[in-house]
Amino acid sequence: MEKNKRTPEQEAEQTLALLEHIRRPAENPYLYTRVREAMMRDQLQKRTTVQWVFALATILIILNGLFWLQSFSITGSENETLSDVFAQDYEFLQPIGSYEDDLDLVSYTMDNE
Amino acid sequence: MTKKLEQEILADLLAKKESAYQYLIDQYQQKVLNTCLGFVPNLQDAEDLCQDTFVEVFRSIHAFKGNAALSTWIFQITTRKCLAFIRYRKRHKRKAFFQSLVGLDAPESRAISDKSFHPGIALEDKERGEILFEKIALLPEKQQTAFVLNRIEGFEITEVADIMQLKRGTVDVLLNRAKKNLRQSLEQYYRNIA
């Protein structure tokens, strides 16, 4: 009943008066342990991240080396001429002959004629 | 804490001495927790924020320049953490609201508690306390910070000015506006429910 008699101003005043009676919270005896644990977790996470970066970098270096070796084995033969590569690429059964071979073929044809 | 003692503690903290960590927590735990409760009147969230504050204090102690008192620096971190948490919660609520509008379920939004009951308020005043903290949360950020530090944690105006890195006069203005806005907001609330 008494509550209904109060004006909004009085209600607001009473609510604001609560600020004077707020008790301080009790200390948490485990806070130190929690903080230490959080810090250790943080350090562990950082270490794990560094380990992952290191592992990834190592894998990339190894893969790079493998690709390099592979490309060297494909184009690495020093005796391979450009025409051989061309013949291989276009799947010619026999490699294209030399200029001298071509001359021989022309002279053979002319002789037969 | 005297200047000399502060220097010793600082040196011990930089040397990562356990005793210094323990001392700092014992010394400031209650004040930090009470400040957090002023911003976030929920014991679980406030304790998490208190923990985060000390973790950051210990982690970035080497960055402490000594321009202000160590306590001022600690409460700057506390305030920053609390405001960041409030912003995050608001963002999360907005996101959950839009997700509910388009029919997407947002289960993680339930993880953030909406209940705000300050453990330092007597049980018979629970309802009033909830309304009070709800209205404090509606204040603009700077007014809220000044109000919580001064009226809830009990810092002097000069200390609040140091923590907020503002002039004393500015803090005075912020406090007066906060009190006026809070009173108006509460009166409006009681007028509406009458």
Side-chain angles (χ1 to χ4, degrees):
Chain A
M1 286 293 276
E2 198 192 333
K3 197 179 176 184
N4 293 338
K5 284 177 192 169
R6 286 197 199 115
T7 61
E9 288 77 15
Q10 285 171 326
E11 289 281 4
E13 195 59 51
Q14 200 177 342
T15 305
L16 283 170
L18 273 185
L19 288 167
E20 312 302 326
H21 308 292
I22 295 177
R23 289 190 308 270
R24 285 188 165 271
E27 287 183 7
N28 181 353
Y30 305 108
L31 183 69
Y32 179 66
T33 318
R34 280 180 62 175
V35 170
R36 293 291 300 158
E37 205 176 292
M39 284 173 75
M40 279 165 72
R41 212 172 33 233
D42 204 47
Q43 270 180 342
L44 199 72
Q45 206 174 357
K46 262 186 198 166
R47 208 178 300 158
T48 313
T49 312
V50 170
Q51 282 170 347
W52 269 106
V53 169
F54 185 74
L56 211 67
T58 313
I59 289 169
L60 281 174
I61 289 167
I62 290 169
L63 282 176
N64 200 22
L66 283 174
F67 279 123
W68 184 74
L69 280 174
Q70 204 178 2
S71 66
F72 183 75
S73 69
I74 290 170
T75 58
S77 172
E78 284 174 15
N79 298 327
E80 204 171 39
T81 59
L82 196 62
S83 57
D84 292 334
V85 175
F86 185 78
Q88 272 175 14
D89 283 351
Y90 285 91
E91 294 175 349
F92 290 143
L93 290 174
Q94 288 175 342
I96 296 168
S98 62
Y99 178 67
E100 286 78 18
D101 289 344
D102 288 348
L103 280 179
D104 287 346
L105 184 67
V106 170
S107 61
Y108 173 77
T109 315
M110 283 173 72
D111 289 346
N112 283 343
E113 278 174 359
Chain B
M1 197 189 279
T2 61
K3 194 80 184 165
K4 196 182 168 195
L5 183 63
E6 192 180 296
Q7 289 297 326
E8 282 174 18
I9 293 294
L10 204 60
D12 286 351
L13 284 172
L14 285 167
K16 297 187 176 179
K17 283 190 183 169
E18 294 272 331
S19 58
Y21 289 160
Q22 182 83 61
Y23 177 82
L24 208 73
I25 287 178
D26 289 346
Q27 192 77 11
Y28 290 107
Q29 180 190 159
Q30 205 179 39
K31 278 172 90 78
V32 170
L33 183 61
N34 200 40
T35 308
C36 292
L37 277 168
F39 285 101
V40 184
N42 173 305
L43 188 60
Q44 202 183 336
D45 290 337
E47 278 187 343
D48 286 347
L49 284 166
C50 184
Q51 177 193 308
D52 288 353
T53 301
F54 282 110
V55 169
E56 191 171 332
V57 165
F58 296 148
R59 203 194 296 149
S60 54
I61 193 74
H62 58 274
F64 175 62
K65 299 272 188 290
N67 300 334
L70 184 62
S71 61
T72 306
W73 186 64
I74 292 172
F75 286 100
Q76 279 171 356
I77 293 175
T78 310
T79 310
R80 205 170 53 233
K81 288 258 169 215
C82 290
L83 292 175
F85 178 80
I86 292 168
R87 277 185 225 123
Y88 168 77
R89 198 168 58 178
K90 277 182 188 166
R91 223 175 24 242
H92 216 82
K93 272 187 192 168
R94 261 202 307 271
K95 191 179 160 197
F97 172 72
F98 283 117
Q99 279 181 333
S100 70
L101 276 184
V102 293
L104 285 169
D105 196 21
E108 72 274 21
S109 66
R110 290 180 206 128
I112 292 180
S113 172
D114 230 6
K115 294 277 173 211
S116 54
F117 178 58
H118 194 298
I121 288 179
L123 210 59
E124 60 263 31
D125 293 322
K126 187 182 173 189
E127 202 182 320
R128 268 186 202 282
E130 279 178 4
I131 294 160
L132 176 65
F133 279 97
E134 195 185 297
K135 299 300 172 192
I136 291 173
L138 290 176
L139 290 172
E141 215 168 71
K142 281 189 176 173
Q143 288 181 25
Q144 187 188 0
T145 308
F147 189 84
V148 167
L149 291 173
N150 178 252
R151 292 304 307 273
I152 295 178
E153 183 37 49
F155 279 110
E156 296 290 324
I157 293 180
T158 43
E159 290 174 307
V160 177
D162 285 343
I163 293 169
M164 293 181 74
Q165 293 173 304
L166 294 172
K167 286 179 182 163
R168 195 200 141 99
T170 315
V171 175
D172 262 329
V173 172
L174 284 172
L175 275 171
N176 285 332
R177 281 188 191 156
K179 283 176 203 166
K180 193 181 158 198
N181 287 340
L182 191 60
R183 187 178 292 274
Q184 278 178 352
S185 167
L186 284 168
E187 284 175 8
Q188 187 65 46
Y189 171 81
Y190 287 115
R191 213 166 280 134
N192 289 344
I193 62 162

